C-alpha cells in the first residue's frame, strides 16, 4: 500500500469549508505530472463535482513551480522499451483531465506562482480563473522536444489575440505574469506577497458564482507592468508573419522582416524556429489552425490521435530524440529526422491527423457532460 | 420502434432536467442544451466534409482562421462565442471602404498569391476554395474580388495575349491596378450582342476611340466603377472603316493612381441596393476616350496599325462565343457560392430547430423540439438533401471548368448555365424557408439568414438571367435532337446517350425499395428528359409548320422549354450524386448519402408537375413518392446535426441562434 500512500502525497488536499485546495507536491521534479498524480487529480475533480459541499477548487504547486508539464521522461522510458501504448495511456488520462477541467461546473482558481510548462498549462488554463504572479514563467516548449503543444493547447492558443498563439506554440517562447494577463492566458495578476491573504479569502467563499469569486480575487490584484521588450508589444510583426499559411512562409516572412531592419528579437525568433523539430513545427501549426475552428472536445480527440502517432514514431522519431538530447543525455543537440521542412510532405503531416491503424488503439472517448452551466458549455 | 424509444428517451431526459437557479427556468423547456450532447453521430463528419468540400480543406481552414483572428472582420461576442460578420448597419460608403480594407489585409497575408500568375488545375482549385470561404464570410467581399480577379483578370487572361499578360496580370494580383468589367449597359444586360457602345480606329494616331452614343449605352452595374477601380475592360461594338465587326473587348483607364477620374470619362453611382452594399456598382460614359491600339484584347481578332481588321475566326457568331468564355468562370463561382450560402442557412436553421421548442402535445407536457415535428422536417430536410446533391454538382462543374478544352466548351456552357440557374434559385428558396423556420430570430441581421436573402438575390440575374440561361440549355438540347435526327447518328454528349436506348419502363406499382433504387430514380429522370425533349421539338416544329419563324416558335414553346431545362438540370445533378456514391466503400457514410440521394430524387419528382401531367407517374405512384418523402424525413432526422456539421463551416461563421441563444439574449449580455 506504500504506492497508494505516495500517490496521495503527490497531490495534497486541503479542505476548508466549501473550498478544496489541491497542492501539486512533487517539488524536486518541479511538480511534473506523473501518471499517479493525474489519476488522483481526475478522481478528486470527479468527486468534487458531485459533492454539494464543494463550491470551489483551488490548484497550486509546491515550491518554485506550479507544474513543469507531464513527466515525459517516464513516457520516453516506456517508449524506449518498445511500449508506446503505456505512453498513450498517460496522455489519454491527462487529456481526460483537461476536458473535465475545461467543462467543469464549479469554478477552479489556479495559482500560477512559478513555472507553468506544457501539461501545467493544461491543468490550469482551461479552468475559470488563472492567477498570475511576478514569479510566473509560462511556456509551451514542445516543438523543441519533438512533440507539439498538446493538453488542449490547440484550443487555448488558437484563441489568443491575432496570431500570438501560433507564435507561442511554434517558438515555445516564455511569458511572464504581466504578459500572461495581457494576452488573456491569465485572468488576474496578484503579487505573490498577497497570495496567502487571497487564499484565505477564497476559503471563506460559500458560492460557486464566478462573479462573486472574480470580485474576491479583484481585491488583491495589481496592474502589472509589461516589460519594454515583451513579445506582446511586437504583435504587428507577429500578426504579419505568424498568420502565413505554412511554416516555410512564416519563416520567410520573418526573414524578410529581418532584412528590412536589424532586430535581435526577430533573429532570435528565427533561430528558435530553426532549432525546433521541423516535423513538430508542421504538425503544431496545423493543430493550432484546426483548433481555432473546433471545440475543446474535438481538439483533445485530435491531439490524442496526434500524440499516438508521435509515440508510435512511424513518420518521425523526433520525440524520442528530443527527450534524449534535452532530458537524458542533455547534449542539447537533437538530430531531427526529417531534418528539414522541405523534406516533409503533406501526406506525412496528414498521417498525424488520421486514426491510428492498430486494432487495440481507440479514439479518445471523452466523458459525457450534461447539465453544464453556460460558462462550461461555451468551451464545447 | 427504435425511433419511438429514442423519442421517449429524449422526452424523459428533457423532463428530468433539474431546475436551475434562474427564476425563468421553472419551465424546463426554457433551458438550452447543446444539440451535440443529445444527437447521434453515425458517421465521421470529417470524412463527409472531405467529400463535400472535396479540395484544399486546410487552405480553407487557414483562411477561416485568418478572418476570425482579425478585428477588421468585425468579431462580436455573443453567448460566450465569437462571431464574425460585416457590420451591415454601416452606411453604404463605409461598407465599401471596409471591403477594400479587408481585401488589403488578405492581400498582405498572401491569400491572392498566384491567383492570376499561377496556372493549372491546382492553382485554380485553390483560388476557388479561397473564394468560397470569403463568400461564406460576406458576399460583397467575394463579389468585389470576383470582379477584379475573375472578370477583369480573366478577361486579360482569356482575351488578351502575351503583351497584356506581361503588362497587367502581376499588377492586378498585387492590386497596383484595380480592375472592373464594363459589359452590361442600361439598355442591354443578358443580350450582350445588342450593346451600343461603339469603338472606331484612328489610323493617324494609332488609337481606338470609344464612345457612349446614347443614354441607354451607359455602362451599368459595373462593380468597382463607383469608387475604387482604376481600369476597366470595355465591351463595345468595333466599327472599322464603316463596317461593324461585332463585340470586342478593350482596356481603358478610368481613374488615375490618386483616384481622380480620367479625362473624357464620366462616372456615377448605382446607389444603395437591397444587398451587396459593400460593392461599389457604378455607371460609365465614354466621350471620345482614346486608348492605344495595343489595348484591344486581341486573342480572337486584331486591328493592324494601318487599320485592317484581322481575325482567324471568320464567323462572327463563333467570334462572339469566344468572347463569352470568361463569363463561364463567373457562372461557376456563382453556382458554387449559392451552395455555400444554402449550407450556412441550413446549418443555422437546423441547429436552431434542435434547440428550440414550441407547443406541448399534452397539458403540462414538455414542449416539442421544432425538428421533431414531421412538418418541420419536411420543410428543411428535403432542402438539406438538395443542398448535398448540389454540392456534388458544383464540384463536378468546377472540375469540368478547370479541365476544359475547346472540345468541352459546349458542355461547359450548357452545364454551367443550368447549374448557375438551378443552384441560385435553390439558394433563394432555401434562405426563405430557413428564415421562416427560425421565426422572428430569422429576421435579425446578426442571425445572417434573413439578411442573406438580400445579399444573394442578385445571383438569379447577374452574369446571365436565370430564365435566359435555362432557355439556352433547352435550345442546346433541341439542337442536339435536331442534329441527331438529321444525321441519323446516335446522341453523344450532354448526358443524352440514354436517348439511344429504349425508353425506360416505370413499374405500375412502386414499392419503397423501388423508390429508393438509384436505377429507378435515374430511369424516371431520363424518361422525363427524353419525353420533354421530344415534346419540345414537336411543338417547335408544329409552330414552324404553321408558318412561324424558328426563333418565334422557340419563344412560343417556352413552357416546355422551362420544363426541359429543369429536367436536364435535375438529372445532371442526380448523376453527379450517384457518381460520388459509387466511389465510396460500404458503410454508414454511404448509407446516409443513399438516403439523401433518394430524398433528392423523390422530392424532385414530387415537386415537378410534369411527372403527373405527362403520366411518367400514375396518381397512385405519385402518392407513393409523397409518402416515401415523409419516411425519408424521419430517417434523416437523427442525422440532421451530423449532416450540417459536415458542412465544415466554423461556428464563428454561423450565428448566435445556432448556439446558446438564451445566453446570447440574456439580460447580462446587454450590460456591457
Amino acid at each position: 500500500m506504500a504506492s497508494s500512500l505516495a500517490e496521495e502525497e503527490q497531490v495534497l488536499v486541503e479542505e476548508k469549508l466549501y473550498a478544496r485546495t489541491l497542492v501539486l507536491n512533487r517539488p524536486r521534479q518541479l511538480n511534473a505530472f506523473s501518471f499517479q498524480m493525474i489519476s488522483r487529480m481526475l478522481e478528486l475533480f470527479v468527486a468534487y463535482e458531485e459533492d454539494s459541499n464543494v463550491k470551489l477548487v483551488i490548484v497550486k504547486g509546491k515550491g518554485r513551480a506550479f507544474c513543469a508539464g507531464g513527466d515525459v521522461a517516464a513516457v520516453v522510458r516506456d517508449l524506449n522499451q518498445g511500449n508506446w501504448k503505456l505512453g498513450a495511456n498517460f496522455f489519454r488520462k491527462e487529456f481526460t483531465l483537461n476536458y473535465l477541467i475545461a467543462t467543469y461546473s464549479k469554478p477552479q482558481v489556479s495559482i500560477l506562482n512559478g513555472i507553468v510548462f506544457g501539461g501545467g498549462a493544461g491543468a490550469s488554463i482551461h479552468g475559470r480563473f488563472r492567477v498570475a504572479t511576478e514569479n510566473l514563467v509560462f511556456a509551451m516548449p514542445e516543438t523543441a522536444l519533438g512533440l507539439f503543444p498538446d493538453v488542449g493547447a490547440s484550443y487555448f492558443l488558437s484563441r489568443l489575440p491575432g496570431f500570438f498563439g501560433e507564435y507561442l506554440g511554434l517558438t515555445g517562447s516564455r511569458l511572464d505574469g504581466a504578459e500572461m494577463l495581457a494576452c488573456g492566458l491569465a485572468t488576474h495578476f496578484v503579487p505573490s506577497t498577497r497570495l496567502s491573504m487571497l487564499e484565505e479569502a477564497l476559503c471563506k467563499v460559500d458560492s460557486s458564482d464566478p462573479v462573486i469569486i472574480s470580485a474576491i480575487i479583484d481585491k488583491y490584484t495589481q496592474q502589472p507592468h509589461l516589460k519594454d521588450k515583451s513579445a506582446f508589444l511586437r504583435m504587428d510583426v507577429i500578426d504579419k508573419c505568424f498568420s502565413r499559411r505554412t511554416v516555410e512562409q512564416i519563416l520567410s516572412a520573418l526573414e524578410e522582416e529581418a532584412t528590412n531592419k536589424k532586430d535581435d528579437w526577430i533573429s532570435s525568433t528565427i533561430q528558435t524556429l530553426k532549432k525546433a523539430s521541423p516535423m513538430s513545427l508542421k504538425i503544431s501549426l496545423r493543430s493550432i489552425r484546426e483548433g481555432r475552428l473546433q471545440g475543446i472536445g474535438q481538439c483533445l480527440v485530435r491531439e490524442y490521435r496526434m500524440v499516438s502517432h508521435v509515440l508510435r514514431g512511424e513518420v518521425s522519431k523526433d520525440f524520442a530524440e528530443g527527450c534524449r538530447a534535452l532530458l537524458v543525455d542533455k547534449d542539447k543537440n537533437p538530430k531531427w529526422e526529417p531534418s528539414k521542412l522541405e523534406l516533409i510532405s503533406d501526406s506525412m503531416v496528414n498521417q498525424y491527423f488520421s486514426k491510428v491503424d492498430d486494432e487495440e488503439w481507440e479514439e479518445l472517448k471523452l466523458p459525457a457532460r450534461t447539465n453544464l452551466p453556460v460558462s462550461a458549455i461555451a468551451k464545447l | 420502434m427504435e425511433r419511438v424509444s429514442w423519442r421517449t428517451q429524449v422526452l424523459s431526459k428533457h423532463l428530468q432536467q433539474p431546475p436551475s437557479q434562474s427564476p425563468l427556468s421553472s419551465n424546463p423547456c426554457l433551458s438550452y442544451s447543446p444539440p451535440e450532447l443529445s444527437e447521434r453521430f453515425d458517421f465521421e463528419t470529417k470524412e463527409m466534409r472531405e467529400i463535400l468540400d472535396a479540395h484544399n480543406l486546410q487552405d480553407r481552414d487557414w483562411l477561416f482562421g485568418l478572418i476570425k483572428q482579425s478585428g477588421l472582420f468585425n468579431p462580436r461576442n455573443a453567448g460566450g462565442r465569437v462571431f464574425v460578420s460585416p457590420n451591415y448597419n454601416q452606411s453604404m460608403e463605409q461598407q465599401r471602404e471596409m471591403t477594400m480594407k479587408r481585401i488589403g489585409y488578405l492581400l498582405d497575408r498572401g491569400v491572392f498569391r498566384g491567383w492570376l500568375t499561377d496556372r493549372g488545375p491546382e492553382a485554380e482549385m485553390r483560388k476557388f476554395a479561397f473564394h468560397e470561404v470569403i463568400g461564406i464570410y460576406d458576399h460583397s467581399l467575394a463579389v468585389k474580388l470576383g470582379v477584379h480577379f475573375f472578370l477583369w483578370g480573366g478577361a486579360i487572361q482569356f482575351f488578351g495575349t502575351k503583351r497584356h499578360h506581361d503588362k497587367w496580370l502581376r499588377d492586378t494580383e498585387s492590386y497596383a491596378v484595380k480592375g472592373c468589367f464594363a459589359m452590361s449597359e442600361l439598355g442591354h444586360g443578358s443580350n450582350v450582342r445588342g450593346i451600343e457602345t461603339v469603338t472606331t480606329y484612328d489610323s493617324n494616331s494609332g488609337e481606338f476611340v470609344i464612345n457612349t452614343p446614347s443614354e441607354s449605352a451607359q455602362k451599368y452595374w459595373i462593380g468597382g466603377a463607383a469608387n475604387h477601380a482604376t481600369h476597366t475592360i470595355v465591351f463595345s461594338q468595333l466599327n472599322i472603316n464603316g463596317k461593324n465587326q461585332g463585340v470586342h473587348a478593350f482596356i481603358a483607364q478610368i481613374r488615375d493612381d490618386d483616384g481622380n477620374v480620367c479625362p473624357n470619362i464620366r462616372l456615377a453611382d448605382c446607389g444603395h441596393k437591397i444587398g451587396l452594399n459593400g460593392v461599389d456598382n457604378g455607371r460609365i460614359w465614354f466621350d471620345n476616350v482614346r486608348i492605344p491600339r495595343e489595348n484591344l484584347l486581341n486573342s480572337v481578332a486584331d486591328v493592324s496599325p494601318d487599320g485592317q481588321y484581322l481575325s482567324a475566326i471568320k464567323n462572327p457568331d463563333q467570334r462572339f462565343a469566344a468572347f463569352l468564355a470568361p463569363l463561364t468562370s463567373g457562372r461557376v463561382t456563382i453556382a458554387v457560392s449559392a451552395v455555400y450560402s444554402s449550407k450556412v442557412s441550413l446549418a443555422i436553421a437546423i441547429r436552431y430547430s434542435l434547440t428550440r421548442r414550441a407547443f406541448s402535445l399534452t397539458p403540462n407536457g414538455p414542449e416539442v423540439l421544432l425538428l421533431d415535428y414531421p412538418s418541420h422536417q419536411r420543410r428543411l430536410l428535403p432542402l438539406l438533401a438538395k443542398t448535398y446533391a448540389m454540392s456534388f454538382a458544383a464540384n463536378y462543374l468546377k472540375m469540368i471548368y478547370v479541365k476544359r478544352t475547346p472540345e468541352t466548351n459546349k458542355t461547359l456552357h450548357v452545364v454551367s448555365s443550368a447549374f448557375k440557374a438551378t443552384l441560385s434559385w435553390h439558394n433563394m428558396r432555401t434562405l426563405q424557408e430557413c428564415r421562416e423556420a427560425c421565426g422572428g430570430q430569422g429576421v435579425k441581421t446578426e442571425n445572417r439568414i434573413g439578411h442573406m436573402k438580400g445579399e444573394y438575390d442578385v445571383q438569379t440575374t447577374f452574369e446571365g438571367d436565370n430564365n435566359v440561361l435555362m432557355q439556352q440549355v433547352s435550345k442546346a438540347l433541341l439542337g442536339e435532337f435536331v442534329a441527331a435526327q438529321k444525321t441519323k447518328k446516335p446522341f453523344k454528349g450532354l448526358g443524352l446517350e440514354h436517348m439511344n436506348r429504349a425508353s425506360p419502363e416505370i413499374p405500375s406499382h412502386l414499392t419503397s425499395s423501388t423508390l429508393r433504387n438509384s436505377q429507378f430514380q435515374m430511369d424516371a429522370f431520363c424518361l422525363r428528359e427524353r419525353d420533354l425533349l421530344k415534346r419540345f421539338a414537336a411543338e417547335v416544329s408544329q409552330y414552324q409548320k404553321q408558318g412561324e419563324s424558328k426563333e418565334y416558335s422557340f419563344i412560343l414553346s417556352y413552357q416546355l422549354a422551362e420544363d426541359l431545362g429543369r429536367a436536364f438540370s435535375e438529372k445532371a445533378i442526380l448523376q453527379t450524386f450517384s457518381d460520388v456514391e459509387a466511389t465510396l466503400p460500404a458503410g454508414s457514410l454511404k448509407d446516409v448519402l443513399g438516403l439523401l440521394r433518394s430524398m433528392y430524387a423523390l422530392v424532385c419528382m414530387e415537386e415537378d408537375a410534369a411527372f403527373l401531367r405527362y403520366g411518367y407517374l400514375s396518381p397512385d405512384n405519385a402518392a407513393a413518392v409523397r409518402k416515401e418523402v415523409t419516411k425519408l424525413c424521419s430517417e434523416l432526422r437523427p442525422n440532421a446535426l451530423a449532416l450540417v456539421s459536415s458542412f465544415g463551416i466554423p461556428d464563428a461563421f454561423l450565428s448566435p441562434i445556432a448556439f446558446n441563444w438564451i445566453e446570447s439574449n440574456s439580460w447580462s449580455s446587454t450590460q456591457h
Side-chain angles (χ1 to χ4, degrees), chain A residues 160 162 243-245 292, chain B residues 58-59 62 68-69 108-109:
Chain A
L160 298 183
S243 60
R244 301 290 159 152
R245 195 158 55 88
R292 180 162 284 138
Chain B
Q58 280 173 61
D59 292 329
W62 168 64
K68 193 184 166 195
Q69 290 307 99
D108 282 349
R109 300 299 186 270

Side-chain angles (χ1 to χ4, degrees), chain B residues 256-410:
Chain B
D256 65 19
D257 291 342
D258 300 324
N260 305 305
V261 180
C262 290
N264 298 6
I265 298 279
R266 283 177 286 151
L267 298 175
D269 206 308
C270 289
H272 192 266
K273 305 183 291 283
I274 62 166
L276 287 186
N277 283 303
V279 180
D280 53 324
N281 292 95
R283 304 182 275 154
I284 312 175
W285 289 258
F286 300 90
D287 305 321
N288 283 313
V289 173
R290 290 182 162 264
I291 56 167
R293 189 183 66 90
E294 291 73 26
N295 282 17
L296 169 66
L297 293 171
N298 61 339
S299 72
V300 175
D302 208 349
V303 172
S304 67
D306 62 346
Q308 299 302 308
Y309 184 77
L310 312 162
S311 176
I313 306 176
K314 296 295 171 213
N315 180 339
D317 286 341
Q318 285 176 7
R319 220 153 53 206
F320 180 71
F323 268 124
L324 292 186
L327 285 185
T328 313
S329 89
R331 285 198 291 270
V332 174
T333 53
I334 291 167
V336 177
S337 84
V339 175
Y340 279 98
S341 158
S342 300
K343 286 177 178 174
V344 169
S345 66
L346 282 165
I348 294 170
I350 287 179
R351 290 187 63 91
Y352 185 60
S353 73
L354 290 167
T355 62
R356 177 65 150 83
R357 294 167 186 274
F359 300 105
S360 313
L361 296 178
T362 56
N364 304 324
E367 292 184 275
V368 177
L369 271 183
L370 296 185
L371 202 62
D372 284 332
Y373 286 99
S375 57
H376 210 77
Q377 294 168 10
R378 177 61 186 80
R379 287 167 65 188
L380 295 179
L381 300 182
L383 294 172
L384 178 65
K386 284 186 171 186
T387 301
Y388 263 78
M390 291 178 194
S391 274
F392 303 137
N395 288 338
Y396 166 77
L397 178 58
K398 276 191 277 185
M399 200 194 64
I400 61 171
Y401 175 77
V402 301
K403 292 185 177 169
R404 66 194 177 277
T405 62
E407 292 73 46
T408 62
N409 262 344
K410 181 158 75 179

Side-chain angles (χ1 to χ4, degrees), chain A residues 33-68:
Chain A
F33 278 133
S34 63
F35 186 78
Q36 290 83 350
M37 275 169 100
I38 288 174
S39 309
R40 180 71 182 138
M41 294 270 285
L42 198 54
E43 259 172 48
L44 290 167
F45 267 94
V46 169
Y48 293 158
E49 191 157 57
E50 305 275 299
D51 185 348
S52 56
N53 288 321
V54 178
K55 308 255 188 208
L56 168 71
V57 181
I58 301 169
V59 183
K60 60 180 190 175
K62 184 150 197 164
R64 63 190 185 93
F66 172 80
C67 169

Side-chain angles (χ1 to χ4, degrees), chain A residues 314-332:
Chain A
E314 75 264 75
V315 189
S316 161
K317 298 186 176 17
D318 279 0
F319 181 45
E321 173 61 12
C323 290
R324 181 203 64 75
L326 274 73
L327 305 175
V328 184
D329 298 350
K330 299 193 177 161
D331 60 19
K332 293 188 179 165

Side-chain angles (χ1 to χ4, degrees), chain A residues 283-300:
Chain A
I283 61 174
S284 301
L285 182 63
R286 175 143 163 213
S287 175
I288 294 168
R289 294 274 159 88
E290 289 198 9
R292 180 162 284 138
L293 309 172
Q294 292 175 326
I296 179 63
Q298 290 168 297
C299 285
L300 288 165

